Amino acid sequence: MDGDARTLWLSRNIVPHEGSIRRIVGSWRLPEGLEAEDIVQESYSKIASLPSVEQIVAPKAYFLQIARSILLMHVRRAKLVSIEVIADLEHLHTADEAPSPETCASDREQLRLLAQAVARMGEPNRSVFVLRMIQGISYKDIGQALGLSENAVQKMLARSLASLALEIGRGRNGIARASNDSGDKACDRQQ
Amino acid sequence: MTMNATMRDNPINERAFEWLVRADGGLSPAEQAELGAWLASDSRHYGAYMRAKAVFNHVGRAKAFAHLPNPDEWPLVVQPGERRTIQPVSAANNDRDDIAPMSRRALLGLASGAVVAGLTVAFFATGQPAEALTFRTRRGEMRDIALTDGTRVALNTESEIRVLFGERLRKVELVGGEALFDVAHEAGRAFVVDAIAFQARAVAASFAIRKIGGVAPQLVVREGAVDLTPANATSLRVSANSRVWVFSGGKVSRHMLTQAELGRELMWREGKIAFEDTPLRYAISAFDRYGSVHIEVDDPAILDHTVTGVFSSDDPMGFAKAVSEVFDLDAVPQGRGIILRKRD
């Protein structure tokens, strides 16, 4: 599997679940100096480096397993670990016990989330987003149109993407009904 | 500045997105090596970068909305509980006539509300061999011109048009600058503005064209419809309440404008400049168009701050003072300019 195929797989199977993944990892008791975001990043790194992901049927659950193994590795390496952390490791939950609405958003719902997030963006960030991501205009030309340096345009888009990432993974109220949709490709099959 | 606070707190994610966007724009071999070193130095960097790539890919699905220039409409086409796929973009769907045009009443309100100073009436006989008539404004000057066919032209600062009316065509060349055309209807004689990068043709419409150095020329249509033909490219119809940027190679980008955005685009008619979350560097260059008082900053980082508000285009000091209040700076006259300095 080449890098682009892996990117596609991550974008379909992990990015939409980021909200609930973060909530679960955020509920874990972590050794001092380790943050939930570190675990999320290292899990992405691990899953992106796997030789194959084709056999993974429940991507979110798999991601959480990886996250758990990364936490264990950090605990083993840490010189000092509090007794609470050790106690918690026994029953670290990696499944979404109270499934949140967005865990199972259909493709269409994901597109709707994205549309809403873009509609809410301020200007000139939204114009930059549309010009680059939709129209494929070069950064130089966008800078010219908006009177910004190429660098400023790139920074603007980078910031917009970073906040969009959080919004599309977070989900919104009203997605719950979508989880009844059949044929949800983006849904973990076991759910 | 509209910025999400949550994304600020993870510098690795922030860096990852910056690298990704830079890579999207193309990296030099040296930058490539720098990125490689950054990715290899920490597995979190690599993970965050892969995540950024996945997010980039995910939001790229918004291309499904390519036929809807105004993102405000996007959520409306993906209604919940309805299994409907987004209509593919059809080449024939260039017209945006389904968007309600601004009412004529609203337009008249605007036109009569504006102060028309120094009205010039251009007389010249039609049917005669066409002779160019040139109108020009100096920096900071604005001018309203009435053409013989009843068309009104408003010229913004440092602008020049050449009027060349013939028997079958009312042609105006926009040599440079910015102009608003309220085109009077005339059966059988189209009105064409030639802006070099593109031509705009209308029967009856109200539209503005801006053509200034270093910026992609733009067309804003506030009423009626304008056929825009980029040099060496096929034409497209642009309906009311939209803005089109014309890029090199005839590439165009069209956006729908809200009434507020349209108002801001044409605020120069009242001697005002409107900013909304505009980076200071751009706001300063906007003032440079209108006068010779240049605003400097002692710290270039300030230039990335954004400003919002309506300012008089002939009062850069007023603008500089307003900016200094917001960002805790001092606006000090220096020579013929103004310098924005960090407050001691």
Side-chain angles (χ1 to χ4, degrees):
Chain A
M1 208 182 220
D2 61 28
D4 282 348
R6 185 60 53 88
T7 302
L8 192 64
W9 188 89
L10 288 172
S11 78
R12 288 210 176 127
N13 298 290
I14 304 298
V15 170
H17 295 301
E18 264 204 21
S20 68
I21 287 172
R22 271 168 211 282
R23 201 170 39 248
I24 292 166
V25 176
S27 76
W28 297 349
R29 202 187 295 267
L30 305 178
E32 213 172 320
L34 188 68
E35 284 175 20
E37 196 61 39
D38 296 327
I39 293 189
V40 171
Q41 286 162 351
E42 288 191 40
S43 305
Y44 262 105
S45 169
K46 180 82 209 253
I47 211 160
S49 322
L50 289 176
S52 163
V53 288
E54 277 141 25
Q55 77 291 353
I56 299 172
V57 284
K60 190 181 89 176
Y62 192 85
F63 190 96
L64 285 166
Q65 267 178 40
I66 288 183
R68 184 174 180 274
S69 70
I70 285 167
L71 170 60
L72 291 176
M73 184 194 74
H74 277 284
V75 169
R76 251 177 266 126
R77 280 191 199 156
K79 291 205 171 67
L80 195 73
V81 177
S82 76
I83 199 80
E84 290 92 342
V85 171
I86 303 286
D88 268 18
L89 284 174
E90 297 299 317
H91 26 72
L92 201 61
H93 79 284
T94 54
D96 214 348
E97 275 145 16
S100 64
E102 82 277 15
T103 50
C104 212
S106 67
D107 274 359
R108 180 167 45 86
E109 289 300 331
Q110 288 173 32
L111 196 57
R112 196 165 74 91
L113 276 177
L114 177 59
Q116 288 173 335
V118 175
R120 276 195 301 269
M121 281 168 71
E123 290 291 353
N125 303 51
R126 195 169 80 169
S127 284
V128 167
F129 178 87
V130 170
L131 287 169
R132 180 62 202 160
M133 301 299 292
I134 315 294
Q135 324 263 7
I137 307 286
S138 76
Y139 291 102
K140 186 163 164 263
D141 284 349
I142 296 170
Q144 270 198 3
L146 300 180
L148 300 167
S149 71
E150 200 173 329
N151 191 268
V153 171
Q154 292 188 341
K155 285 217 160 119
M156 213 173 262
L157 182 63
R159 283 200 295 261
S160 303
L161 290 172
S163 50
L164 279 178
L166 295 178
E167 292 218 36
I168 55 185
R170 184 189 298 144
R172 299 254 146 213
N173 298 335
I175 310 296
R177 268 129 260 118
S179 55
N180 297 326
D181 280 347
S182 53
D184 252 345
K185 272 186 288 172
C187 246
D188 286 0
R189 278 172 230 170
Q190 58 171 203
Q191 282 177 346
Chain B
M1 281 186 111
T2 48
M3 191 181 293
N4 197 328
T6 36
M7 41 162 288
R8 276 259 132 184
D9 43 17
N10 192 277
I12 295 179
N13 285 343
E14 208 176 317
R15 278 297 296 280
F17 276 106
E18 278 175 18
W19 268 119
L20 178 81
V21 170
R22 280 174 69 187
D24 178 48
L27 296 177
S28 70
E31 290 172 320
Q32 208 118 40
E34 201 191 328
L35 171 59
W38 185 75
L39 291 176
S41 66
D42 191 322
S43 64
R44 291 175 302 171
H45 295 180
Y46 179 68
Y49 189 70
M50 289 306 286
R51 169 178 180 262
K53 273 176 83 165
V55 167
F56 191 83
N57 202 293
H58 188 92
V59 303
R61 299 166 70 184
K63 288 193 185 77
F65 301 108
H67 62 303
L68 293 171
N70 182 2
D72 289 338
E73 298 169 12
W74 294 1
L76 307 176
V77 282
V78 225
Q79 291 299 338
E82 184 195 342
R83 209 161 255 295
R84 197 175 73 150
T85 45
I86 303 290
Q87 294 299 313
V89 187
S90 85
N93 194 19
N94 262 344
D95 291 6
R96 296 295 304 142
D97 287 339
D98 45 332
I99 303 293
M102 191 181 185
S103 75
R104 178 162 288 273
R105 190 184 303 263
L107 171 68
L108 290 174
L110 263 174
S112 58
V115 183
V116 179
L119 188 72
T120 315
V121 182
F123 291 103
F124 49 97
T126 54
Q128 299 294 319
E131 198 182 323
L133 200 62
T134 300
F135 298 94
R136 198 180 291 121
T137 50
R138 291 182 305 275
R139 187 182 289 195
E141 185 189 6
M142 262 158 254
R143 197 168 165 189
D144 284 282
I145 301 151
L147 301 178
T148 47
D149 65 334
T151 293
R152 310 279 285 233
V153 183
L155 272 190
N156 197 1
T157 175
E158 274 192 322
S159 303
E160 182 175 338
I161 56 165
R162 281 156 45 92
V163 180
L164 263 156
F165 279 11
E167 245 174 293
R168 293 208 299 274
L169 197 64
R170 294 173 285 167
K171 188 177 172 181
V172 173
E173 280 175 24
L174 178 63
V175 181
E178 186 168 25
L180 171 71
F181 302 90
D182 288 316
V183 176
H185 176 79
E186 203 175 291
R189 205 160 65 126
F191 191 94
V192 174
V193 178
D194 189 349
I196 312 293
F198 64 88
Q199 279 202 347
R201 174 185 289 259
V203 176
S206 173
F207 61 94
I209 297 178
R210 187 173 72 197
K211 188 181 147 189
I212 54 179
V215 178
Q218 74 166 33
L219 166 73
V220 168
V221 180
R222 70 167 179 180
E223 196 187 62
V226 175
D227 288 319
L228 179 146
T229 313
N232 312 318
T234 50
S235 65
L236 65 149
R237 172 153 294 188
V238 184
S239 59
N241 300 343
S242 40
R243 169 178 62 204
V244 179
W245 282 310
V246 180
F247 296 100
S248 53
K251 268 195 281 186
V252 297
S253 170
R254 177 167 37 178
H255 295 256
M256 299 308 295
L257 298 175
T258 62
Q259 288 302 312
E261 287 168 330
L262 188 68
R264 278 201 294 278
E265 281 292 345
L266 298 173
M267 213 160 252
W268 56 265
R269 298 265 291 120
E270 287 130 66
K272 304 271 192 253
I273 314 183
F275 302 120
E276 188 170 290
D277 236 352
T278 307
L280 190 56
R281 70 174 77 244
Y282 177 50
I284 288 175
S285 66
F287 272 97
D288 284 343
R289 280 179 68 200
Y290 293 91
S292 54
V293 177
H294 180 69
I295 301 169
E296 300 268 1
V297 293
D298 68 341
D299 174 9
I302 301 170
L303 294 172
D304 290 326
H305 292 344
T306 63
V307 291
T308 298
V310 177
F311 303 92
S312 291
S313 55
D314 60 357
D315 184 17
M317 193 50 168
F319 169 72
K321 280 187 172 148
V323 169
S324 60
E325 282 304 312
V326 176
F327 299 117
D328 208 19
L329 306 166
D330 279 322
V332 187
Q334 192 175 63
R336 295 189 58 200
I338 300 164
I339 185 154
L340 289 171
R341 277 200 312 236
K342 276 215 185 85
R343 205 165 272 176
D344 304 318

